[in-house]
Amino acid sequence: MPPAIGLATMMGMAENRFTSVDEYIESFPAEVQEVLAEVRRTVHAVVPDAGEKISYQMPTITLDGKYLLYFSAWKHHISIYPIPSVDDDLAAAIEPYRSGQGTLKFPLDKPIPYDLITRLTHACVAERSS
């Protein structure tokens, strides 16, 4: 399971239990809000009928009522979890972003590879369908 904290918790906002993804995103500085919103749009472009909720105090994209993936903001990066089963090509592409067994970290001081997030989302959906 993903960690239950992110930048908001680190900044002392943990007691402000988030009730929506919008509320979570709005709790960050503008430049981080833009990245989180684009991650959200990227996932929804792949899965337009996906739901969303707050789980473990972070945005959770759901499919058929069950989590598909989580994303969160930290001081220096955005994380996405869990990592689904992937083919060799996608495994090589995500390798630079791996952190632990099931987490990807995308540094905020570098361009976010939204195309990679698209591919990862497709892999999550494919894994769910199998």
Side-chain angles (χ1 to χ4, degrees):
M1 252 335 107
I5 61 170
L7 178 61
T9 300
M10 293 168 49
M11 294 175 65
M13 296 181 219
E15 58 277 358
N16 294 342
R17 308 291 288 176
F18 299 111
T19 59
S20 71
V21 174
D22 287 330
E23 186 181 338
Y24 180 92
I25 291 172
E26 291 166 3
S27 72
F28 293 91
E31 60 277 2
V32 177
Q33 286 182 33
E34 290 174 28
V35 173
L36 290 169
E38 188 60 27
V39 168
R40 181 189 205 183
R41 280 189 293 272
T42 299
V43 173
H44 280 287
V46 174
V47 192
D49 56 340
E52 54 184 39
K53 65 181 183 177
I54 294 293
S55 181
Y56 298 101
Q57 282 302 293
M58 69 181 82
T60 306
I61 304 298
T62 63
L63 184 60
D64 300 326
K66 297 178 182 176
Y67 82 86
L68 183 66
L69 60 84
Y70 301 84
F71 62 98
S72 64
W74 296 79
K75 189 172 183 178
H76 299 289
H77 66 274
I78 299 294
S79 289
I80 295 181
Y81 359 62
I83 301 171
S85 299
V86 296
D87 60 30
D88 291 343
D89 184 48
L90 185 52
I94 65 174
E95 187 59 35
Y97 305 103
R98 277 190 177 272
S99 176
Q101 198 167 8
T103 302
L104 296 178
K105 289 183 179 179
F106 301 103
L108 288 168
D109 63 352
K110 295 184 177 160
I112 303 296
Y114 297 108
D115 59 328
L116 192 57
I117 295 170
T118 295
R119 291 173 63 196
L120 184 71
T121 304
H122 280 291
C124 287
V125 171
E127 183 172 78
R128 176 66 61 83
S129 315
S130 61

